[in-house]
Each structure stands twice: as C-alpha cells, then as structure tokens.
Amino acid sequence: MTDLSAIIKAYDVRGTVPDQLNEDVARAVGVAFARVLTEQGTGATAVVLAHDMRESGPGLVSAYAEGIRSEGLDVVNVGLCSTDELYYASGVLDLPGAMFTASHNPAQYNGIKHCYAGAKPVGQESGLARIREIAQDLLDDGGPAVSTLIGGYEERDLLSAYAEHLRGLVDLSGIRPLKVVVDAGNGMGGFTVPAVLGDTVLPALPLDIIPMYFELDGSFPNHEANPLEPKNIVDLQAAVVKHGADLGLAFDGDADRCFVVDADGDPVSPSAITALVATRELAKHPGGTIIHNLITSRAVPEIVTENGGVPVRTRVGHSFIKAEMAKTNAIFGGEHSAHYYFQDFWGADTGMLAAMHVLAALGEQDKPLKELAARYERYAASGEINSTVTDQRAKLDEVRQAYADQEQDELDGLTVSFADGSWINLRPSNTEPLLRLNVEAPTAERVAELRDDVLTIVRG
C-alpha cells in the first residue's frame, strides 16, 4: 500500500522512484489536482506541465497528464524546463501548473511542485492536503480509472519567450564585459543559461560564459546539484580562480536557486545577495516592501530600511514567503537558502533573475564583486548546522530555558536575541529528526561561542 503522507509534505511532493513515486501515484495525484481545481471554483480549463532532466520525468508527466485529462481538463506540456520557467508558463498563460522535479535531491528522487494560475503556491493549507486525501483514496481503491481522456493535449516550447521575458526585466546589454563561470551541476541551468545569458536564442551579451557540467544528467555524475552544501561548489571555486573570472554562479538541479562566488572563489552569502537585489528593486519601487525570512542576516532589514523600504520578517519556506508577498504586495523577497522572489515574476522564485541582478550590479561599476558585496555583509554567521535528535521538542525546551533571561520569539522554531545584536535560531525540520541551528553575531568569536553553547545542549 502506498502511503502518500510519506511523500506529500508541507510544500510539495517528494519521494524515491519507483517505490514511493511512480506512474500510478502520479496519475492519482493528477486526478486529485484536477478535482481540487474544480472544487475550489478556479475556472481552470487546462494545466501546464513540465519536468527536469531526471530520467523518470517524462513517464511521470505522461501518467499525471492522463489523470488531468480524465477529469476533462486540457494539458499543455512544455517539456524539459527549469522550475522558474514553469512558473513563467503558469504566469504568462494564466494556468495552474505542475513541475516534476526533486530539486537538489539525489538521482533516485523525483517530485512535483504544484501552483495555481499566475504561479500562486499550492501548500499544505492551500490545497496540498486535499490533493493527498483524494489521491490516497484513489490509490486505496486500486487507482483511478482513466480509460477515457476527455481533455485535450498540446506541446509547447516556451524557452525563447522565457529568456526574452527575463532579458526585459534586467538589461545587461550595456554592462562592462564580465567573465562568468557557471556550474549547472548537470541540472537545468545547463538548459536555461545558454538561452538567457548566452546567444543561442537571443543576441549575445557582454558575458564570457565558461560552462561547467552543462550536460543534462539526472544521475549527477560530478556532484549533487545542491550548492548549499560547500563540497558541491569546490569545483566552481577552483575554476573561477583558474580562469581569472569576475564571479561564479552555481544553480541547483531545477535551477530555481542560484549561489554566487566572487573572483577569489569565496562564497557571497545569500543574505548579501538579498540586500543587494533589494536595493536595486527599491530604486525602481521607492518605499516598497521587502520580505526576508527570519534566518537571513539582520543586515537585510537594516539595509532595506536605510534605502527607504519596509522589511517584513517571515517564516522559512517558499509557501510562507509567497503568501506574505501577496499579502503585503511586496516587490521582492529573499531566503538564506538562495531562493529569491520577485513581484515582477508573479511573486515566484527565480534564481536566474537574481543572477542577472548580480551581473548588472557588478557590470554597472568597476569594483570587484568582493568589494561590492562587502557593502551588504555586516555580521559573522555560522551557516546552518544540523543535529540529529530523538526529541526535537525536548531539546528546544532545554535551549529555551537556558536563555530564559533573553528576548525570545517563536515565529519559526526558537529565536533568541541578545543585547549585543547577536541571535540564534533553532528550528525543527518538517521532514527529518533534525534541529537546524543558525547563529549571527558582530564577530566570528561570538558566533563560535554561541554555536558551541547551543550545540552542547542540543547534542548533550
């Protein structure tokens, strides 16, 4: 028996193929999404589908499409694309969508990211729990009967239109020439970077792109497509130095996240990128609202305020960010995980557009990226440290009691703020027996002190 609660989580569907996620499951989830669209009175007549480079993608999409069509809705299959290109398709076509990807997860995984028309998120409370319920009932009854495919089917290629849309948002044609190493990690960046930043579909930009691992290969033969892990950007860091490049970019498997390294191969923190892009967006939209999750650097709200913007702090996770974007009419949002959200991209996240802002900011002036980024980096940080624990709640309570005399809040896990500007955040994973620790302080020594104190409790 298939237990969908194991793979349908807070934000998306994610599981191993074929034991957890297979064509029968995909077909049932397709029926369920179609029924949810009808139940909610969305008026949707079609669903746009896409997949990344994983070998299981086309088969899962085909089965899912059968589920959609059996409920009388049409399918628009845009085929191979990045997650942000699927969001583009959902936005420009004004259709709900489903992207088959497991993002940065290893080769044996696949998954589904759903959205409503206009790239609006489908999370646990906005439809995903209902999708799971319907699909589980169908599977428990032996699977949906889809012998009659009422809805229509068409295939479309939107890569050129997607590239043209992004080029229209950030003009790179007048920047100084830049040498850029791009590590696609054998993921979808190898498909979208040549179109957006190269000259395969649009005129050439003043960019000398040095490609790394652009071959689409869902087995990830070189390294996992998860640049949040330091080991996965080692090749990029070495290549940037070797080629004397101005910067390096690393995309995750479905290319919706982008990490940046400077000319010395040193990582630029996603918080600094958030602050950099925020200042550029505020120049276009004075007084605008900027979303940041609670473990981005305190420098982000400071810089937003200094530039006349309104910072809004939120929980970690794309469904929370996107909901807050819509609620506050925010112009931009950023996360520590290198997800960047743009009002002029339907409030959705796109690593490519963030990369273009970095290229523009660097290319519009003469200083190196390290000097440019230093304007946005004010504090020392630990990065995210995971600890496996048997009782998340008990360990959180221990830390809470240890710092009972300090300012605390529980927006997402436990945040403790100190008088010297330091803070810690300890939050449980939604999917694993982990506690995730982030520490920021005025100095590296203070970071180390707080980190060690908390880990002594958590791991004791």
Side-chain angles (χ1 to χ4, degrees):
M1 296 293 289
T2 301
D3 178 13
L4 293 185
S5 65
I7 65 169
I8 300 182
K9 300 294 187 179
Y11 315 127
D12 58 18
V13 182
R14 195 77 60 92
T16 53
V17 178
D19 54 315
Q20 291 183 311
L21 178 57
N22 52 46
E23 293 184 8
D24 290 338
V25 171
R27 192 176 290 110
V29 174
V31 170
F33 188 40
R35 290 185 184 174
V36 165
L37 292 171
T38 301
E39 283 180 2
Q40 295 191 357
T42 63
T45 58
V47 178
V48 59
L49 307 182
H51 63 87
D52 68 12
M53 67 290 140
R54 294 166 192 266
E55 287 186 17
S56 58
L60 293 173
V61 166
S62 179
Y64 185 98
E66 290 175 3
I68 294 288
R69 295 174 67 197
S70 72
E71 292 293 305
L73 299 184
D74 297 340
V75 164
V76 179
N77 187 355
V78 297
L80 197 64
C81 77
S82 61
T83 291
D84 67 324
E85 187 187 334
L86 183 277
Y87 291 148
Y88 165 78
S90 173
V92 78
L93 300 176
D94 198 30
L95 292 176
M99 174 72 193
F100 280 74
T101 179
S103 185
H104 61 276
N105 284 123
Q108 67 268 32
Y109 285 81
N110 212 325
I112 316 168
K113 294 181 178 180
H114 289 92
C115 62
Y116 294 117
K120 292 181 175 60
V122 177
Q124 190 73 261
E125 297 175 3
S126 56
L128 202 52
R130 180 63 178 146
I131 290 171
R132 182 178 64 211
E133 179 185 357
I134 295 170
Q136 187 69 68
D137 288 345
L138 290 168
L139 291 168
D140 290 349
D141 290 341
V146 295
S147 54
T148 304
L149 302 181
I150 307 166
Y153 178 87
E154 68 168 308
E155 296 182 353
R156 295 184 65 170
D157 180 358
L158 294 178
L159 180 62
S160 297
Y162 157 80
E164 196 165 352
H165 178 76
L166 291 181
R167 290 256 192 123
L169 294 176
V170 178
D171 183 9
L172 296 172
S173 60
I175 63 171
R176 64 183 168 95
L178 296 174
K179 183 181 287 190
V180 189
V181 180
V182 180
D183 183 346
N186 299 106
M188 292 311 302
F191 184 71
T192 56
V193 168
V196 179
L197 302 180
D199 60 0
T200 58
V201 299
L202 294 169
L205 296 168
L207 300 173
D208 177 10
I209 303 289
I210 299 170
M212 294 182 67
Y213 313 141
F214 271 34
E215 306 76 24
L216 301 184
D217 188 339
S219 70
F220 306 114
N222 296 290
H223 59 72
E224 285 186 3
N226 180 15
L228 191 57
E229 285 287 337
K231 66 183 180 181
N232 295 325
I233 62 168
V234 170
D235 291 355
L236 173 66
Q237 291 171 301
V240 167
V241 175
K242 174 187 172 185
H243 291 283
D246 294 287
L247 74 162
L249 304 173
F251 291 90
D252 66 347
D254 58 339
D256 64 348
R257 289 188 297 155
C258 181
F259 286 75
V260 181
V261 303
D262 65 25
D264 296 328
D266 294 327
V268 180
S269 81
S271 288
I273 301 298
T274 296
L276 182 154
V277 178
T279 59
R280 291 176 55 84
E281 289 293 315
L282 286 167
K284 292 191 297 182
H285 307 285
T289 296
I290 304 291
I291 306 296
H292 64 101
N293 74 22
L294 81 174
I295 54 177
T296 53
S297 172
R298 290 277 167 90
V300 173
E302 290 173 3
I303 291 167
V304 167
T305 301
E306 289 161 12
N307 283 270
V310 180
V312 172
R313 179 172 174 263
T314 187
R315 293 179 62 183
V316 174
H318 80 93
S319 60
F320 301 116
I321 294 266
K322 288 172 179 174
E324 201 66 31
M325 290 275 292
K327 177 182 171 183
T328 61
N329 197 32
I331 58 174
F332 175 66
E335 291 200 90
H336 76 295
S337 56
H339 280 286
Y340 304 105
Y341 307 82
F342 294 84
Q343 185 183 70
D344 49 13
F345 198 77
W346 299 278
D349 41 327
T350 163
M352 186 69 74
L353 187 52
M356 294 172 73
H357 274 284
V358 173
L359 291 167
L362 180 59
E364 287 167 359
Q365 48 87 70
D366 295 329
K367 295 181 175 60
L369 181 57
K370 186 180 291 292
E371 195 171 330
L372 179 63
R375 302 177 193 171
Y376 306 100
E377 294 185 329
R378 298 179 173 180
Y379 305 103
S382 66
E384 193 151 273
I385 303 165
N386 291 323
S387 301
T388 301
V389 297
T390 54
D391 190 336
Q392 294 170 322
R393 184 177 296 277
K395 287 298 182 182
L396 274 169
D397 284 343
E398 283 187 53
V399 175
R400 183 182 295 109
Q401 291 162 16
Y403 296 105
D405 57 343
Q406 303 295 333
E407 180 186 338
Q408 300 184 4
D409 76 66
E410 298 186 26
L411 174 64
D412 193 351
L414 171 69
T415 300
V416 181
S417 301
F418 300 87
D420 65 354
S422 305
W423 58 267
I424 63 170
N425 174 267
L426 189 67
R427 71 188 208 286
S429 165
N430 288 320
T431 57
E432 300 170 275
L434 299 175
L435 284 175
R436 307 189 192 279
L437 172 66
N438 282 268
V439 182
E440 184 175 78
T443 66
E445 292 76 17
R446 177 68 166 144
V447 167
E449 176 191 351
L450 288 169
R451 176 199 66 206
D452 294 346
D453 289 349
V454 175
L455 290 180
T456 297
I457 299 171
V458 170
R459 297 175 178 177

